[in-house]
Amino acid sequence: MSEKMPNIFNIERFAINDGPGIRTAVFFQGCPLRCKWCANPESQMIGKHSRTISCDELSAIVLRDKDYYDESGGGVTLTGGEALLQINSVVPFLESCRKSGISIAIETCGYVGIGQVEKALEYADLFLFDIKTLDSDRFMEYTGGKLDIVMRAFERICSDDPYKIIVRVPVIPTFNDTEIPQIIDFAAAHGITELHLLPYHTLGVTKYKQLGRRYEFPVTESLDPAVLKQYIPLGERAGISIKIGG
């Protein structure tokens, strides 16, 4: 039987915003959500704006920079799109990373099946888990998804080891920017010790134009990262280290 090759749309070497240390970030095609503010619309559909790659080829690319991972405490990050949609097609690659002593991080929106989460738990050293809101109705309105699917994935990973999770919150004006204290409390209640606040930006607007699509989110100005510094002391009181940016 021929190997099923994953669809990717980018590989970024020497990445520094997708987990600790110097990393290679592999961007997988396909996402089950349709966030109105999405900055990577080209990643949403599998088979468009992407290419397939073999696990052997992917391993060769990642292994080039192993010395940098070792020196900096870095590794490889699977991101997207939604990396867990294609988790079963990259198992040989993940096994290669394990054998080579390369740390594996996975960024996920959590909108996947428990079987995909279980498979990821076999290999991942770290999850960068997106928590966009705690409000089910708002989640459905702005992403098209059901929040309980995300919560189920989050709870499953927490039950394995909450120290494996860094919570990432895209801070979106008019959507969740007043909800940050509640999300911090939620994370603390689940034993999370690190949380990243990612300020909204409009860099995706041009991509929508290039794709001939309308950018649906009405906010036209990026959020000043300095506004989010007010949450650092709140995080400290909850036992959580807050980082502004990825």
Side-chain angles (χ1 to χ4, degrees), residues 8 43-44 55 75 78 134 136 149 153 168-169 187 214 232 240:
I8 65 170
S43 74
Q44 293 175 352
C55 286
L78 311 187
L134 301 177
S136 297
I149 294 176
R168 289 160 67 98
V169 184
R214 183 171 66 89
I232 294 176
I240 294 180

Side-chain angles (χ1 to χ4, degrees), residues 4-10 27-34 40-53 79-90 111-112 116 211 213:
K4 181 175 175 57
M5 297 197 296
N7 286 265
I8 65 170
F9 70 96
N10 192 26
F27 293 80
F28 287 81
Q29 194 80 6
C31 183
L33 298 178
R34 292 295 180 268
N40 293 307
E42 74 278 16
S43 74
Q44 293 175 352
M45 299 294 293
I46 292 179
K48 292 187 176 181
H49 317 290
S50 68
R51 67 183 177 97
T52 58
I53 188 171
T79 183
E82 174 49 60
L84 292 188
L85 288 180
Q86 301 188 62
I87 187 70
N88 291 315
S89 67
V90 294
Y111 204 76
V112 294
Q116 292 159 311
L211 296 172
R213 294 171 56 185

